[in-house]
Amino acid sequence: MPSEIPSEPSPLSNHLLVALPALHDEHFARSVTLVCQHDGDGAMGVMVNRASEYTLGEVLQQMGISSENKTLQAQVVLAGGPVHPERGFVLHDGEREWDSTLTVGDGLYLTTSRDVLEAMARGDGPTQAVVALGCAGWGAGQLEQELVDDSWLMVPAGRELLFEFPLEQRWQAAAGSIGVDLVNYASHSGHA
């Protein structure tokens, strides 16, 4: 079974990075990113609150995969990050084995192989799934430094936020899940 990503979860995986108001990077301002892999070499994640310009039907068509499911075809594909924007990442539930899957956390997986999309098109895929194009990446120690620099708020990932909340509500909702109001955060943050 060819796999280019490990199957075991990593230390910061299954956490959300919520961009704090002070983070002005155009790629990540007001973003929510699920950390999928983290180790001594760096970190990889997928932004979960930004729509791409594509629907899943368009992506499936480009890949030569047909589906009659109108709801699936209309599903918004996320803009997962600036790294590998041409590559698909499927964040999903379910225990089923796919060709290239990373365990993000308890019952949460990231698959990069075509077989999961083919199963979704047939109506045989994971119960809950979102598709993203691209991902976010950090070099060794970079994410840890950004956390120290107050660029991100670290929040435990929740299924409801990942699969059910409207995209435009996810930034506030993720921070709110630990009692942080990002609207008022800017006036209370800063360094002594």
Side-chain angles (χ1 to χ4, degrees), residues 159-186:
R159 298 278 177 90
E160 184 179 11
L161 186 119
L162 294 173
F163 296 115
E164 297 170 23
F165 264 76
L167 296 181
E168 66 277 1
Q169 293 177 16
R170 291 181 181 185
W171 185 63
Q172 283 279 21
S177 72
I178 61 166
V180 175
D181 178 357
L182 291 173
V183 172
N184 294 317
Y185 187 85

PDB file of all heavy atoms in Angstrom, residues 159-186:
ATOM      1  N   ARG A 159     -15.961  18.148  15.724  1.00  0.00           N
ATOM      2  CA  ARG A 159     -16.615  17.662  14.500  1.00  0.00           C
ATOM      3  C   ARG A 159     -17.677  18.627  13.983  1.00  0.00           C
ATOM      4  O   ARG A 159     -17.805  18.833  12.783  1.00  0.00           O
ATOM      5  CB  ARG A 159     -17.280  16.313  14.744  1.00  0.00           C
ATOM      6  CG  ARG A 159     -16.372  15.215  15.114  1.00  0.00           C
ATOM      7  CD  ARG A 159     -15.742  14.627  13.850  1.00  0.00           C
ATOM      8  NE  ARG A 159     -14.803  13.612  14.230  1.00  0.00           N
ATOM      9  CZ  ARG A 159     -15.098  12.344  14.388  1.00  0.00           C
ATOM     10  NH1 ARG A 159     -16.307  11.928  14.192  1.00  0.00           N
ATOM     11  NH2 ARG A 159     -14.169  11.504  14.758  1.00  0.00           N
ATOM     12  N   GLU A 160     -18.471  19.175  14.906  1.00  0.00           N
ATOM     13  CA  GLU A 160     -19.539  20.071  14.478  1.00  0.00           C
ATOM     14  C   GLU A 160     -18.963  21.252  13.710  1.00  0.00           C
ATOM     15  O   GLU A 160     -19.456  21.621  12.652  1.00  0.00           O
ATOM     16  CB  GLU A 160     -20.339  20.556  15.694  1.00  0.00           C
ATOM     17  CG  GLU A 160     -21.521  21.407  15.315  1.00  0.00           C
ATOM     18  CD  GLU A 160     -22.325  21.879  16.518  1.00  0.00           C
ATOM     19  OE1 GLU A 160     -21.868  21.718  17.671  1.00  0.00           O
ATOM     20  OE2 GLU A 160     -23.420  22.411  16.296  1.00  0.00           O
ATOM     21  N   LEU A 161     -17.886  21.839  14.213  1.00  0.00           N
ATOM     22  CA  LEU A 161     -17.275  22.983  13.537  1.00  0.00           C
ATOM     23  C   LEU A 161     -16.724  22.561  12.182  1.00  0.00           C
ATOM     24  O   LEU A 161     -16.889  23.257  11.185  1.00  0.00           O
ATOM     25  CB  LEU A 161     -16.156  23.591  14.393  1.00  0.00           C
ATOM     26  CG  LEU A 161     -15.632  24.879  13.756  1.00  0.00           C
ATOM     27  CD1 LEU A 161     -15.850  26.043  14.673  1.00  0.00           C
ATOM     28  CD2 LEU A 161     -14.197  24.734  13.380  1.00  0.00           C
ATOM     29  N   LEU A 162     -16.069  21.412  12.114  1.00  0.00           N
ATOM     30  CA  LEU A 162     -15.437  20.963  10.874  1.00  0.00           C
ATOM     31  C   LEU A 162     -16.427  20.582   9.785  1.00  0.00           C
ATOM     32  O   LEU A 162     -16.148  20.763   8.601  1.00  0.00           O
ATOM     33  CB  LEU A 162     -14.521  19.767  11.157  1.00  0.00           C
ATOM     34  CG  LEU A 162     -13.301  20.045  12.015  1.00  0.00           C
ATOM     35  CD1 LEU A 162     -12.592  18.743  12.365  1.00  0.00           C
ATOM     36  CD2 LEU A 162     -12.356  20.997  11.307  1.00  0.00           C
ATOM     37  N   PHE A 163     -17.553  20.041  10.158  1.00  0.00           N
ATOM     38  CA  PHE A 163     -18.455  19.490   9.160  1.00  0.00           C
ATOM     39  C   PHE A 163     -19.809  20.184   9.043  1.00  0.00           C
ATOM     40  O   PHE A 163     -20.505  19.995   8.059  1.00  0.00           O
ATOM     41  CB  PHE A 163     -18.691  17.997   9.432  1.00  0.00           C
ATOM     42  CG  PHE A 163     -17.446  17.164   9.299  1.00  0.00           C
ATOM     43  CD1 PHE A 163     -16.916  16.516  10.401  1.00  0.00           C
ATOM     44  CD2 PHE A 163     -16.802  17.031   8.077  1.00  0.00           C
ATOM     45  CE1 PHE A 163     -15.770  15.737  10.287  1.00  0.00           C
ATOM     46  CE2 PHE A 163     -15.652  16.258   7.950  1.00  0.00           C
ATOM     47  CZ  PHE A 163     -15.137  15.608   9.057  1.00  0.00           C
ATOM     48  N   GLU A 164     -20.216  20.963  10.053  1.00  0.00           N
ATOM     49  CA  GLU A 164     -21.580  21.478  10.044  1.00  0.00           C
ATOM     50  C   GLU A 164     -21.693  23.001  10.058  1.00  0.00           C
ATOM     51  O   GLU A 164     -22.625  23.547   9.479  1.00  0.00           O
ATOM     52  CB  GLU A 164     -22.354  20.893  11.235  1.00  0.00           C
ATOM     53  CG  GLU A 164     -22.476  19.377  11.144  1.00  0.00           C
ATOM     54  CD  GLU A 164     -23.028  18.741  12.406  1.00  0.00           C
ATOM     55  OE1 GLU A 164     -23.720  19.438  13.174  1.00  0.00           O
ATOM     56  OE2 GLU A 164     -22.759  17.542  12.623  1.00  0.00           O
ATOM     57  N   PHE A 165     -20.790  23.711  10.719  1.00  0.00           N
ATOM     58  CA  PHE A 165     -20.895  25.168  10.805  1.00  0.00           C
ATOM     59  C   PHE A 165     -20.703  25.804   9.431  1.00  0.00           C
ATOM     60  O   PHE A 165     -19.850  25.367   8.658  1.00  0.00           O
ATOM     61  CB  PHE A 165     -19.808  25.733  11.739  1.00  0.00           C
ATOM     62  CG  PHE A 165     -20.266  25.957  13.142  1.00  0.00           C
ATOM     63  CD1 PHE A 165     -20.429  24.903  14.016  1.00  0.00           C
ATOM     64  CD2 PHE A 165     -20.528  27.233  13.599  1.00  0.00           C
ATOM     65  CE1 PHE A 165     -20.840  25.100  15.311  1.00  0.00           C
ATOM     66  CE2 PHE A 165     -20.944  27.453  14.902  1.00  0.00           C
ATOM     67  CZ  PHE A 165     -21.103  26.383  15.754  1.00  0.00           C
ATOM     68  N   PRO A 166     -21.455  26.858   9.123  1.00  0.00           N
ATOM     69  CA  PRO A 166     -21.196  27.608   7.897  1.00  0.00           C
ATOM     70  C   PRO A 166     -19.765  28.163   7.922  1.00  0.00           C
ATOM     71  O   PRO A 166     -19.262  28.547   8.982  1.00  0.00           O
ATOM     72  CB  PRO A 166     -22.219  28.746   7.947  1.00  0.00           C
ATOM     73  CG  PRO A 166     -23.294  28.249   8.876  1.00  0.00           C
ATOM     74  CD  PRO A 166     -22.597  27.373   9.871  1.00  0.00           C
ATOM     75  N   LEU A 167     -19.116  28.190   6.766  1.00  0.00           N
ATOM     76  CA  LEU A 167     -17.714  28.617   6.691  1.00  0.00           C
ATOM     77  C   LEU A 167     -17.481  29.983   7.333  1.00  0.00           C
ATOM     78  O   LEU A 167     -16.504  30.176   8.056  1.00  0.00           O
ATOM     79  CB  LEU A 167     -17.242  28.649   5.235  1.00  0.00           C
ATOM     80  CG  LEU A 167     -17.212  27.327   4.488  1.00  0.00           C
ATOM     81  CD1 LEU A 167     -16.700  27.540   3.063  1.00  0.00           C
ATOM     82  CD2 LEU A 167     -16.371  26.296   5.211  1.00  0.00           C
ATOM     83  N   GLU A 168     -18.380  30.933   7.067  1.00  0.00           N
ATOM     84  CA  GLU A 168     -18.181  32.300   7.555  1.00  0.00           C
ATOM     85  C   GLU A 168     -18.296  32.416   9.076  1.00  0.00           C
ATOM     86  O   GLU A 168     -17.888  33.425   9.649  1.00  0.00           O
ATOM     87  CB  GLU A 168     -19.136  33.270   6.854  1.00  0.00           C
ATOM     88  CG  GLU A 168     -20.604  33.062   7.152  1.00  0.00           C
ATOM     89  CD  GLU A 168     -21.278  31.977   6.296  1.00  0.00           C
ATOM     90  OE1 GLU A 168     -20.610  31.337   5.464  1.00  0.00           O
ATOM     91  OE2 GLU A 168     -22.490  31.768   6.494  1.00  0.00           O
ATOM     92  N   GLN A 169     -18.820  31.399   9.753  1.00  0.00           N
ATOM     93  CA  GLN A 169     -18.948  31.438  11.215  1.00  0.00           C
ATOM     94  C   GLN A 169     -17.829  30.688  11.940  1.00  0.00           C
ATOM     95  O   GLN A 169     -17.720  30.774  13.159  1.00  0.00           O
ATOM     96  CB  GLN A 169     -20.288  30.834  11.633  1.00  0.00           C
ATOM     97  CG  GLN A 169     -21.485  31.637  11.201  1.00  0.00           C
ATOM     98  CD  GLN A 169     -22.799  30.958  11.566  1.00  0.00           C
ATOM     99  OE1 GLN A 169     -22.839  30.045  12.378  1.00  0.00           O
ATOM    100  NE2 GLN A 169     -23.885  31.410  10.960  1.00  0.00           N
ATOM    101  N   ARG A 170     -17.004  29.971  11.216  1.00  0.00           N
ATOM    102  CA  ARG A 170     -16.030  29.081  11.851  1.00  0.00           C
ATOM    103  C   ARG A 170     -14.926  29.817  12.612  1.00  0.00           C
ATOM    104  O   ARG A 170     -14.455  29.331  13.628  1.00  0.00           O
ATOM    105  CB  ARG A 170     -15.425  28.129  10.817  1.00  0.00           C
ATOM    106  CG  ARG A 170     -16.444  27.132  10.333  1.00  0.00           C
ATOM    107  CD  ARG A 170     -15.887  26.161   9.321  1.00  0.00           C
ATOM    108  NE  ARG A 170     -16.951  25.251   8.897  1.00  0.00           N
ATOM    109  CZ  ARG A 170     -16.779  24.235   8.100  1.00  0.00           C
ATOM    110  NH1 ARG A 170     -15.579  23.964   7.611  1.00  0.00           N
ATOM    111  NH2 ARG A 170     -17.798  23.474   7.757  1.00  0.00           N
ATOM    112  N   TRP A 171     -14.490  30.969  12.147  1.00  0.00           N
ATOM    113  CA  TRP A 171     -13.403  31.699  12.820  1.00  0.00           C
ATOM    114  C   TRP A 171     -13.834  32.100  14.230  1.00  0.00           C
ATOM    115  O   TRP A 171     -13.163  31.800  15.210  1.00  0.00           O
ATOM    116  CB  TRP A 171     -13.005  32.916  11.976  1.00  0.00           C
ATOM    117  CG  TRP A 171     -11.832  33.685  12.482  1.00  0.00           C
ATOM    118  CD1 TRP A 171     -10.541  33.236  12.612  1.00  0.00           C
ATOM    119  CD2 TRP A 171     -11.824  35.049  12.905  1.00  0.00           C
ATOM    120  NE1 TRP A 171      -9.736  34.246  13.091  1.00  0.00           N
ATOM    121  CE2 TRP A 171     -10.499  35.365  13.275  1.00  0.00           C
ATOM    122  CE3 TRP A 171     -12.797  36.032  13.002  1.00  0.00           C
ATOM    123  CZ2 TRP A 171     -10.133  36.635  13.730  1.00  0.00           C
ATOM    124  CZ3 TRP A 171     -12.432  37.284  13.446  1.00  0.00           C
ATOM    125  CH2 TRP A 171     -11.110  37.569  13.812  1.00  0.00           C
ATOM    126  N   GLN A 172     -14.988  32.762  14.333  1.00  0.00           N
ATOM    127  CA  GLN A 172     -15.508  33.184  15.640  1.00  0.00           C
ATOM    128  C   GLN A 172     -15.902  31.980  16.495  1.00  0.00           C
ATOM    129  O   GLN A 172     -15.652  31.947  17.688  1.00  0.00           O
ATOM    130  CB  GLN A 172     -16.728  34.092  15.465  1.00  0.00           C
ATOM    131  CG  GLN A 172     -16.394  35.499  15.054  1.00  0.00           C
ATOM    132  CD  GLN A 172     -15.956  36.369  16.231  1.00  0.00           C
ATOM    133  OE1 GLN A 172     -15.528  35.889  17.276  1.00  0.00           O
ATOM    134  NE2 GLN A 172     -16.055  37.661  16.053  1.00  0.00           N
ATOM    135  N   ALA A 173     -16.537  30.984  15.864  1.00  0.00           N
ATOM    136  CA  ALA A 173     -17.013  29.814  16.618  1.00  0.00           C
ATOM    137  C   ALA A 173     -15.855  29.009  17.201  1.00  0.00           C
ATOM    138  O   ALA A 173     -15.941  28.522  18.330  1.00  0.00           O
ATOM    139  CB  ALA A 173     -17.870  28.928  15.727  1.00  0.00           C
ATOM    140  N   ALA A 174     -14.774  28.867  16.453  1.00  0.00           N
ATOM    141  CA  ALA A 174     -13.622  28.099  16.953  1.00  0.00           C
ATOM    142  C   ALA A 174     -13.040  28.773  18.188  1.00  0.00           C
ATOM    143  O   ALA A 174     -12.792  28.128  19.209  1.00  0.00           O
ATOM    144  CB  ALA A 174     -12.558  27.951  15.863  1.00  0.00           C
ATOM    145  N   ALA A 175     -12.839  30.079  18.127  1.00  0.00           N
ATOM    146  CA  ALA A 175     -12.313  30.804  19.284  1.00  0.00           C
ATOM    147  C   ALA A 175     -13.324  30.787  20.427  1.00  0.00           C
ATOM    148  O   ALA A 175     -12.963  30.606  21.591  1.00  0.00           O
ATOM    149  CB  ALA A 175     -11.972  32.237  18.901  1.00  0.00           C
ATOM    150  N   GLY A 176     -14.584  30.939  20.097  1.00  0.00           N
ATOM    151  CA  GLY A 176     -15.632  30.939  21.109  1.00  0.00           C
ATOM    152  C   GLY A 176     -15.752  29.613  21.843  1.00  0.00           C
ATOM    153  O   GLY A 176     -16.222  29.574  22.982  1.00  0.00           O
ATOM    154  N   SER A 177     -15.292  28.522  21.209  1.00  0.00           N
ATOM    155  CA  SER A 177     -15.383  27.210  21.857  1.00  0.00           C
ATOM    156  C   SER A 177     -14.529  27.132  23.116  1.00  0.00           C
ATOM    157  O   SER A 177     -14.747  26.274  23.959  1.00  0.00           O
ATOM    158  CB  SER A 177     -14.994  26.095  20.876  1.00  0.00           C
ATOM    159  OG  SER A 177     -13.601  26.110  20.620  1.00  0.00           O
ATOM    160  N   ILE A 178     -13.557  28.046  23.259  1.00  0.00           N
ATOM    161  CA  ILE A 178     -12.763  28.111  24.493  1.00  0.00           C
ATOM    162  C   ILE A 178     -12.960  29.453  25.208  1.00  0.00           C
ATOM    163  O   ILE A 178     -12.141  29.862  26.014  1.00  0.00           O
ATOM    164  CB  ILE A 178     -11.265  27.821  24.254  1.00  0.00           C
ATOM    165  CG1 ILE A 178     -10.629  28.830  23.298  1.00  0.00           C
ATOM    166  CG2 ILE A 178     -11.055  26.398  23.776  1.00  0.00           C
ATOM    167  CD1 ILE A 178      -9.116  28.797  23.286  1.00  0.00           C
ATOM    168  N   GLY A 179     -14.044  30.142  24.855  1.00  0.00           N
ATOM    169  CA  GLY A 179     -14.403  31.369  25.562  1.00  0.00           C
ATOM    170  C   GLY A 179     -13.705  32.629  25.098  1.00  0.00           C
ATOM    171  O   GLY A 179     -13.723  33.632  25.804  1.00  0.00           O
ATOM    172  N   VAL A 180     -13.109  32.636  23.899  1.00  0.00           N
ATOM    173  CA  VAL A 180     -12.427  33.830  23.397  1.00  0.00           C
ATOM    174  C   VAL A 180     -13.317  34.529  22.381  1.00  0.00           C
ATOM    175  O   VAL A 180     -13.811  33.918  21.438  1.00  0.00           O
ATOM    176  CB  VAL A 180     -11.068  33.460  22.748  1.00  0.00           C
ATOM    177  CG1 VAL A 180     -10.429  34.686  22.125  1.00  0.00           C
ATOM    178  CG2 VAL A 180     -10.145  32.837  23.779  1.00  0.00           C
ATOM    179  N   ASP A 181     -13.519  35.827  22.581  1.00  0.00           N
ATOM    180  CA  ASP A 181     -14.282  36.659  21.652  1.00  0.00           C
ATOM    181  C   ASP A 181     -13.279  37.428  20.801  1.00  0.00           C
ATOM    182  O   ASP A 181     -12.643  38.367  21.275  1.00  0.00           O
ATOM    183  CB  ASP A 181     -15.184  37.610  22.436  1.00  0.00           C
ATOM    184  CG  ASP A 181     -15.983  38.540  21.541  1.00  0.00           C
ATOM    185  OD1 ASP A 181     -15.814  38.503  20.298  1.00  0.00           O
ATOM    186  OD2 ASP A 181     -16.783  39.320  22.082  1.00  0.00           O
ATOM    187  N   LEU A 182     -13.120  37.022  19.543  1.00  0.00           N
ATOM    188  CA  LEU A 182     -12.101  37.636  18.684  1.00  0.00           C
ATOM    189  C   LEU A 182     -12.412  39.084  18.323  1.00  0.00           C
ATOM    190  O   LEU A 182     -11.509  39.851  18.034  1.00  0.00           O
ATOM    191  CB  LEU A 182     -11.902  36.803  17.415  1.00  0.00           C
ATOM    192  CG  LEU A 182     -11.242  35.454  17.654  1.00  0.00           C
ATOM    193  CD1 LEU A 182     -11.240  34.628  16.383  1.00  0.00           C
ATOM    194  CD2 LEU A 182      -9.826  35.629  18.173  1.00  0.00           C
ATOM    195  N   VAL A 183     -13.687  39.468  18.353  1.00  0.00           N
ATOM    196  CA  VAL A 183     -14.042  40.851  18.059  1.00  0.00           C
ATOM    197  C   VAL A 183     -13.429  41.783  19.099  1.00  0.00           C
ATOM    198  O   VAL A 183     -12.934  42.862  18.786  1.00  0.00           O
ATOM    199  CB  VAL A 183     -15.574  41.026  17.985  1.00  0.00           C
ATOM    200  CG1 VAL A 183     -15.955  42.485  17.865  1.00  0.00           C
ATOM    201  CG2 VAL A 183     -16.140  40.219  16.829  1.00  0.00           C
ATOM    202  N   ASN A 184     -13.443  41.369  20.363  1.00  0.00           N
ATOM    203  CA  ASN A 184     -12.892  42.205  21.431  1.00  0.00           C
ATOM    204  C   ASN A 184     -11.432  41.872  21.750  1.00  0.00           C
ATOM    205  O   ASN A 184     -10.825  42.546  22.558  1.00  0.00           O
ATOM    206  CB  ASN A 184     -13.739  42.042  22.701  1.00  0.00           C
ATOM    207  CG  ASN A 184     -15.116  42.586  22.517  1.00  0.00           C
ATOM    208  OD1 ASN A 184     -15.284  43.660  21.943  1.00  0.00           O
ATOM    209  ND2 ASN A 184     -16.106  41.861  22.955  1.00  0.00           N
ATOM    210  N   TYR A 185     -10.886  40.856  21.131  1.00  0.00           N
ATOM    211  CA  TYR A 185      -9.532  40.397  21.446  1.00  0.00           C
ATOM    212  C   TYR A 185      -8.477  41.457  21.159  1.00  0.00           C
ATOM    213  O   TYR A 185      -7.590  41.672  21.956  1.00  0.00           O
ATOM    214  CB  TYR A 185      -9.206  39.120  20.667  1.00  0.00           C
ATOM    215  CG  TYR A 185      -7.884  38.505  21.069  1.00  0.00           C
ATOM    216  CD1 TYR A 185      -7.821  37.650  22.161  1.00  0.00           C
ATOM    217  CD2 TYR A 185      -6.710  38.797  20.386  1.00  0.00           C
ATOM    218  CE1 TYR A 185      -6.637  37.085  22.545  1.00  0.00           C
ATOM    219  CE2 TYR A 185      -5.512  38.237  20.772  1.00  0.00           C
ATOM    220  CZ  TYR A 185      -5.476  37.377  21.852  1.00  0.00           C
ATOM    221  OH  TYR A 185      -4.291  36.830  22.248  1.00  0.00           O
ATOM    222  N   ALA A 186      -8.600  42.145  20.020  1.00  0.00           N
ATOM    223  CA  ALA A 186      -7.560  43.093  19.607  1.00  0.00           C
ATOM    224  C   ALA A 186      -7.332  44.189  20.647  1.00  0.00           C
ATOM    225  O   ALA A 186      -6.213  44.609  20.876  1.00  0.00           O
ATOM    226  CB  ALA A 186      -7.923  43.714  18.267  1.00  0.00           C
TER     227      ALA A 186
END
